[in-house]
Amino acid sequence: MKLDAPLVGDRIVVRNYTPEDLAFSTGMWFDPVNGRYLSDPEADFVDGTYQKALDGLQDSGEGYYLVAFLGEERVGTCCLFPDKAGEVWDIGYCIHQSRWRQGFGTELVELMVEWVRKRGGSAVTAEVAKENPSSRALLEKCGFTAVGEGSFRKYNMAVRFDSLFYEKRL
């Protein structure tokens, strides 16, 4: 799925993912620090199935894969996945560690929420590792509330996280 037009914030512009974004994206997602709480594996655990999925992100029919820019600099990635009715949207996000604690995560989440609101969505959800206080605080700052618990694991790895499900009603 693709955006019709970029999302424009106060500082960042968010556009559709392209294959040229792969090295930046996987550099964050697979990094043991930057990608610690993501479901993406570290680089040594990427298999052919996972690589095939990465190679087709720009053509996904299940959701939107996006990249955030500050001028010409890539600062993060995000994704949005609608339910079958297009009412509840699940989001994910990752900011490059060189840009942590500068408000880019908040701006990115707020842009996604507003985009969903304009499309008539009724809620935005996100799953976050309980051990990730920064992401939990970001969602709470953006008006999300913890509504349930679960768990997830990193793809192809024996790393599992207890998680919280967050929701923001629109």
Side-chain angles (χ1 to χ4, degrees), residues 45-128:
F45 295 89
V46 173
D47 61 11
T49 301
Y50 197 86
Q51 187 61 54
K52 184 177 178 182
L54 289 172
D55 292 340
L57 287 180
Q58 69 279 359
D59 298 320
S60 174
E62 296 179 16
Y64 296 80
Y65 289 93
L66 310 170
V67 180
F69 284 80
L70 175 65
E72 298 297 315
E73 176 192 358
R74 291 173 179 92
V75 296
T77 60
C78 63
C79 54
L80 299 106
F81 297 93
D83 66 3
K84 291 190 187 296
E87 293 178 8
V88 178
W89 292 73
D90 194 53
I91 63 170
Y93 49 87
C94 185
I95 299 296
H96 192 276
Q97 63 188 352
S98 68
R99 290 299 187 166
W100 285 353
R101 294 177 180 75
Q102 297 175 36
F104 292 108
T106 301
E107 188 172 347
L108 185 57
V109 168
E110 289 174 345
L111 281 170
M112 288 189 287
V113 167
E114 185 57 28
W115 185 84
V116 170
R117 183 188 324 275
K118 286 179 180 176
R119 269 138 200 83
S122 62
V124 177
T125 62
E127 182 179 16
V128 177

